[in-house]
């Protein structure tokens, strides 16, 4: 290989060492990619060197030349690595390390003006300490890599959970709309059935009237025919029957039958305000709950109902949910989906099936991780020993009513069953506040229909929220 020059291993097109060379029928070799590009440009399959037309679309690989080129490249690489160990200024071996410049140097460099008064150490002596220093500096990076890989795994779980959430929510949306569609279909069927029943009643009435008038017409026809035949009799026979005949004619001359009132379909009964009437009926089957739970905040031990109005604690079990920043990870808590910063809002919570519970409000910025949640910015009443703070309730309750007045800065709690006041907190809200619920076993937020009159008759429900009277 020493007798050969670099030109012998150079592609005639790119003038670089051959990469995947192919041999043409004219015996010239070219890089495969260079040949294809040359053919695409010339639009003819000819040799780039002698211009002889190639007889093959896919020339074979020149394996011998390819192996020689790979050996040449390997040899150059080895020589390059050897040259890296020589000083670039003096071509002497690098044996020392300059502590000031942090660079390997040769013996000539040590005595040069550039490195005067510098401190040097043998490379073999310095390298281990620097490797150890780099190893120490690399440890936080490795730990960061481990953390990032773990975070990446969490992100992948979140992506999967997002897909699962979307699929489940879509399924529930379809179920809810199917109920509404079924209700509309039932209403449509009931309305059309009522229309057909009225149609049948009206038809039977008119058919009866039609039968009566047909009989009447037949009687009139007989009378006319008899009278006409009688008038053809002799005068004496005619006069003998005249009195009876006149009575028959007078009886037949009674008033004609009239079209009965209300014979037609009562169309407004079916079409008048039809959407509004159906909507009013629909209100009887739907419920409007003042607070909806946010599943993204629920502790993994909590299971929320499909309509997001009730919560159960599955105790020692835990669902595989993402540990997103909004989620409680220690207490069995969940927040409402909407925060409040103005106005008055009330909701009733059914607590009779829970042995230990706490309900109230908290700020949006309150810590949800660890055990610090109940330390600050929580206004609640609680029952049982499992909740660390809140105004304690001694009696067993079926329901608790929470009334939040953001403008006055009060949170009031009462028993709506007995209309008994439990406790009132007074504060100044500087942040959005969210309803929160903490429970062992089961809690349920009741729809508006369960409590229309609020404690001390100061509030009433409206379609949007509770307003002060």
């Amino acid at each position: 290989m020493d007798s050969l020059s670099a030109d012998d291993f150079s592609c005639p097109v790119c003038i670089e060492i051959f990469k995947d060379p192919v041999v043409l029928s004219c015996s010239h070799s070219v890089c495969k990619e260079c040949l294809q590009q040359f053919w695409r440009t010339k639009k003819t399959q000819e040799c780039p060197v002698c211009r002889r037309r190639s007889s093959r679309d896919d020339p074979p690989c020149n394996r011998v030349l390819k192996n020689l080129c790979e050996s040449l490249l390997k040899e150059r690489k080895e020589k390059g690595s050897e040259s890296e160990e020589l000083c670039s200024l003096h071509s002497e071996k690098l044996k020392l390390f300059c502590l000031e410049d942090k660079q390997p140097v040769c013996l000539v460099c040590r005595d040069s003006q550039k490195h005067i008064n510098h401190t040097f150490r043998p490379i073999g002596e310095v390298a281990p300490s620097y490797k150890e220093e780099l190893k120490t500096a690399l440890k936080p990076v490795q730990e960061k890599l481990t953390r990032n890989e773990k975070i990446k795994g969490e992100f992948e779980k979140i992506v999967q959970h997002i897909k699962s959430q979307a699929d489940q929510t879509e399924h529930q949306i379809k179920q809810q709309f199917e109920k509404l569609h079924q209700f509309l279909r039932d209403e449509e069927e009931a309305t059309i059935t009522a229309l057909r029943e009225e149609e049948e009643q009206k038809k039977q009435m008119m058919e009866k009237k039609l039968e009566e008038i047909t009989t009447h017409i037949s009687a009139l026809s007989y009378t006319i025919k008899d009278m006409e035949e009688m008038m053809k009799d002799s005068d004496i026979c005619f006069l003998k029957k005249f009195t009876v005949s006149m009575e028959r004619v007078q009886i037949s001359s009674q008033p004609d039958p009239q079209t009965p009132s209300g014979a037609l379909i009562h169309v407004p009964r079916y079409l008048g305000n039809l959407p509004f009437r159906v909507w009013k009926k629909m209100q009887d089957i739907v419920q409007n709950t003042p607070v909806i739970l946010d599943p993204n905040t629920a502790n993994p031990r909590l299971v929320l109902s499909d309509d997001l109005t009730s919560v159960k604690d599955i105790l020692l079990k835990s669902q595989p949910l993402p540990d997103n920043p909004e989620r409680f990870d220690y207490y069995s808590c969940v927040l409402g989906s909407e925060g409040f910063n103005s106005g008055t809002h009330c909701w009733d919570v059914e607590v009779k099936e829970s042995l230990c519970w706490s309900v109230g409000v908290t700020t949006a910025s309150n810590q949800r991780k660890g055990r610090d949640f109940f330390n600050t910015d929580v206004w609640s009443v609680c029952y049982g020993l499992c909740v660390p703070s809140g105004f304690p309730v001694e009696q067993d309750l079926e329901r608790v009513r929470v009334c939040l007045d953001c403008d006055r800065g009060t949170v009031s709690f009462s028993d709506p069953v007995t209309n008994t006041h439990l406790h009132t907190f007074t504060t100044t809200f500087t942040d959005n506040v969210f309803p929160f619920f903490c429970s062992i076993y089961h809690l349920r937020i009741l729809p508006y229909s369960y409590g229309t009159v609020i404690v001390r008759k100061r509030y009433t429900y409206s379609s949007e929220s509770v307003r002060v009277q």
Side-chain angles (χ1 to χ4, degrees):
M1 188 178 296
D2 293 339
S3 62
L4 298 175
S5 65
D7 294 338
D8 296 320
F9 300 98
S10 300
C11 171
V13 177
C14 64
I15 319 299
E16 298 289 342
I17 300 298
F18 283 107
K19 295 178 182 177
D20 197 12
V22 295
V23 60
L24 300 173
S25 56
C26 59
S27 299
H28 290 117
S29 295
V30 187
C31 293
K32 183 176 181 180
E33 180 60 31
C34 295
L35 180 64
Q36 296 298 329
Q37 185 175 355
F38 181 80
W39 283 357
R40 285 194 297 269
T41 303
K42 292 292 185 178
K43 297 183 179 179
T44 178
Q45 294 181 349
E46 60 183 30
C47 173
V49 180
C50 65
R51 305 300 179 184
R52 180 178 174 181
R53 187 172 181 82
S54 175
S55 59
R56 298 185 59 174
D57 295 337
D58 187 17
C61 175
N62 190 336
R63 297 190 178 278
V64 175
L65 181 58
K66 181 179 180 181
N67 293 336
L68 288 173
C69 290
E70 290 176 350
S71 299
L72 177 62
L73 291 172
K74 182 178 180 181
E75 182 179 339
R76 285 186 174 183
K77 184 176 180 181
E78 291 174 352
K79 287 183 178 180
S81 62
E82 291 177 0
S83 64
E84 289 178 358
E85 296 181 0
L86 300 179
C87 177
S88 59
L89 296 178
H90 309 108
S91 298
E92 296 288 336
K93 283 190 176 183
L94 301 170
K95 295 184 176 181
L96 301 175
F97 186 80
C98 178
L99 298 182
E100 280 75 15
D101 293 337
K102 306 293 183 185
Q103 289 292 331
V105 296
C106 67
L107 296 176
V108 178
C109 291
R110 178 192 62 181
D111 300 330
S112 66
Q113 181 67 28
K114 180 180 178 181
H115 293 278
I116 192 169
N117 296 327
H118 286 187
T119 304
F120 301 91
R121 294 287 183 273
I123 287 180
E125 181 182 321
V126 174
S129 62
Y130 275 87
K131 287 181 180 179
E132 189 64 30
E133 181 180 345
L134 180 60
K135 183 179 179 180
T136 302
L138 193 60
K139 188 174 181 180
V141 180
Q142 292 171 333
E143 293 174 351
K144 186 174 183 178
L145 174 62
T146 302
R147 291 195 305 269
N148 285 351
E149 288 176 344
K150 184 177 179 180
I151 293 172
K152 179 186 175 183
E154 291 297 324
F155 286 177
E156 290 172 347
K157 290 180 181 178
I158 290 175
V159 170
Q160 295 175 355
H161 187 67
I162 289 171
K163 179 66 167 62
S164 175
Q165 274 187 314
D167 292 344
Q168 183 178 3
T169 304
E170 179 183 354
H171 176 69
Q172 292 174 353
I173 288 172
K174 289 181 177 179
Q175 283 186 326
Q176 294 295 326
F177 273 98
E178 177 56 30
K179 291 179 181 178
L180 297 176
H181 293 159
Q182 186 59 49
F183 172 82
L184 292 175
R185 287 193 291 266
D186 293 343
E187 283 299 307
E188 177 186 8
E189 182 179 352
T191 305
I192 292 176
T193 299
L195 171 64
R196 294 306 178 191
E197 288 176 353
E198 182 179 354
E199 176 192 17
E200 186 63 28
Q201 292 173 358
K202 298 294 175 67
K203 282 173 61 178
Q204 290 180 3
M205 180 183 68
M206 291 309 301
E207 286 174 356
K208 184 176 180 181
K209 294 290 183 181
L210 186 60
E211 183 180 348
E212 292 175 356
I213 197 171
T214 301
T215 303
H216 187 57
I217 290 171
S218 178
L220 291 176
S221 298
Y222 286 131
T223 299
I224 294 170
K225 184 177 180 181
D226 289 345
M227 294 305 102
E228 289 176 347
E229 291 294 329
M230 188 189 70
M231 287 187 291
K232 294 178 182 179
D233 291 343
S234 63
D235 292 342
I236 294 174
C237 291
F238 170 76
L239 292 174
K240 285 182 178 180
K241 300 177 182 178
F242 177 74
T243 302
V244 177
S245 299
M246 282 300 295
E247 290 177 355
R248 285 182 62 188
V249 170
Q250 290 172 354
I251 291 173
S252 302
S253 299
Q254 292 178 354
D256 296 333
Q258 300 295 318
T259 302
S261 177
L264 301 181
I265 297 292
H266 191 354
V267 176
R269 180 182 299 161
Y270 307 102
L271 295 181
N273 293 323
L274 178 59
F276 177 77
R277 289 187 289 108
V278 173
W279 173 72
K280 286 192 67 177
K281 283 187 177 182
M282 188 175 290
Q283 286 183 308
D284 295 334
I285 68 166
V286 297
Q287 294 180 337
N288 185 15
T289 306
V291 173
I292 300 299
L293 301 176
D294 182 359
N296 293 336
T297 66
N299 184 289
R301 295 191 302 272
L302 298 180
V303 176
L304 274 58
S305 60
D306 289 344
D307 61 359
L308 305 179
T309 61
S310 66
V311 57
K312 289 184 178 180
D313 192 328
I314 54 178
L315 298 179
L316 300 179
K317 298 180 181 179
S318 184
Q319 303 170 92
L321 298 175
D323 187 23
N324 48 300
E326 301 87 353
R327 192 178 304 281
F328 288 91
D329 64 352
Y330 184 80
Y331 292 110
S332 298
C333 292
V334 60
L335 297 185
S337 62
E338 181 183 1
F340 307 111
N341 57 19
S342 63
T344 304
H345 313 271
C346 291
W347 56 93
D348 287 0
V349 186
E350 187 177 73
V351 296
K352 63 181 181 180
E353 296 184 23
S354 181
L355 300 178
C356 180
W357 52 263
S358 178
V359 296
V361 298
T362 185
T363 57
S365 58
N366 194 5
Q367 178 60 252
R368 303 175 195 177
K369 303 297 184 182
R371 304 186 182 189
D372 295 334
F373 172 70
F374 285 97
N375 291 346
T376 57
D377 295 337
V378 173
W379 300 270
S380 65
V381 294
C382 61
Y383 176 81
L385 300 176
C386 62
V387 181
S389 69
F391 182 82
V393 175
E394 301 295 336
Q395 62 270 38
D396 291 337
L397 300 177
E398 290 188 11
R399 304 173 194 163
V400 174
R401 178 164 292 158
V402 185
C403 288
L404 168 67
D405 191 332
C406 297
D407 302 324
R408 295 185 180 184
T410 61
V411 186
S412 298
F413 301 89
S414 62
D415 178 0
V417 178
T418 61
N419 200 24
T420 303
H421 177 258
L422 298 175
H423 188 70
T424 296
F425 292 95
T426 301
T427 185
T428 300
F429 298 114
T430 58
D431 192 4
N432 276 9
V433 289
F434 284 78
F436 91 88
F437 309 85
C438 187
S439 171
I440 298 296
Y441 296 116
H442 185 248
L443 290 179
R444 184 165 71 100
I445 306 166
L446 301 177
Y448 280 122
S449 57
Y450 278 85
T452 56
V453 180
I454 305 303
V455 179
R456 298 178 183 175
K457 301 182 179 178
R458 290 182 53 229
Y459 310 98
T460 56
Y461 284 114
S462 70
S463 60
E464 296 179 358
S465 63
V466 179
R467 304 296 184 188
V468 181
Q469 287 188 332

